[in-house]
Amino acid sequence: MKLKGKRIAILAEDIYEDLELWYPLLRMKEEGAEVKVIGTGSANQYTGKHGLPVQVDLSADQVRADDFDAVIVPGGYAPDRMRRYEALLRFVREAFEKGKLIASICHGPWVLISAGILKGRTATCFFAIKDDVVNAGAKYVDQEVVRDGNLITSRMPADLPAFCREIIRALSEG
């Protein structure tokens, strides 16, 4: 129970990558964290690319960065929808600026780009959005997981074990 007492927000919107939401959600709970699913506010439930539904606990306009120790941004096509909601971007930006852990996988860095937090950082992502990450001012590296301060990024579902291990390690340090 390495994460007992930690509060983690995991972001959701339609067409999320099922594994990239559910694997970290369950893994963080397994370590004792309190995990809340935060939606954009467009619905109370979202459906993943492969059909798994997830119920939202709160919408982005109902949360504050101070309420959480970490924010996880799963991939799929949901990040393209998430980045359209200023309340969600503000939440991610404020959490990042307050030194909270921000962990993003696959297409998740689209949210980080729109929140304006990638410039000058080293990150990875799904190869199809590498140019977006570079154009946002980040240094791209092709590794299963990259940690740059309070930012953790990974490339794809196959990287989920390393992604979750790094999140747990980072949250256990503080």
Side-chain angles (χ1 to χ4, degrees):
M1 298 284 244
K2 295 177 183 175
L3 301 183
K4 188 149 180 71
K6 299 292 184 183
R7 297 194 74 219
I8 299 172
I10 188 160
L11 306 184
E13 235 303 346
D14 272 333
I15 322 175
Y16 65 85
E17 172 52 55
D18 303 60
L19 281 172
E20 293 171 355
L21 186 145
W22 284 102
Y23 187 115
L25 185 148
L26 295 171
R27 187 69 188 92
M28 298 307 123
K29 282 185 175 185
E30 183 180 49
E31 287 295 340
E34 179 184 349
V35 182
K36 297 289 184 189
V37 177
I38 309 302
T40 60
S42 67
N44 293 322
Q45 179 175 294
Y46 298 111
T47 304
K49 285 172 51 179
H50 307 289
L52 283 177
V54 67
Q55 188 68 37
V56 172
D57 295 306
L58 298 161
S59 65
D61 62 352
Q62 296 175 305
V63 295
R64 298 172 330 132
D66 288 334
D67 296 335
F68 296 93
D69 299 293
V71 178
I72 298 174
V73 187
Y77 300 114
D80 188 42
R81 292 173 180 236
M82 290 177 194
R83 70 195 311 192
R84 302 172 195 185
Y85 293 85
E86 186 52 41
L88 187 136
L89 297 176
R90 184 173 40 254
F91 172 61
V92 171
R93 187 180 315 111
E94 288 174 2
F96 180 77
E97 290 170 353
K98 290 177 178 266
K100 310 291 181 153
L101 183 69
I102 307 295
S104 180
I105 187 166
C106 194
H107 286 75
W110 271 340
V111 172
L112 311 184
I113 290 166
S114 293
I117 65 172
L118 273 187
K119 188 172 185 175
R121 296 300 190 123
T122 300
T124 195
C125 59
F126 189 66
F127 73 91
I129 68 164
K130 171 188 171 188
D131 291 345
D132 300 330
V133 167
V134 170
N135 289 333
K139 176 185 175 193
Y140 170 83
V141 292
D142 184 14
Q143 295 174 201
E144 67 179 357
V145 66
V146 176
R147 182 172 175 195
D148 183 349
N150 63 326
L151 182 68
I152 295 172
T153 52
S154 278
R155 303 170 301 186
M156 61 188 122
D159 298 335
L160 280 162
F163 181 63
C164 289
R165 274 193 307 271
E166 195 61 32
I167 293 168
I168 293 164
R169 182 178 301 120
L171 287 172
S172 296
E173 292 171 358

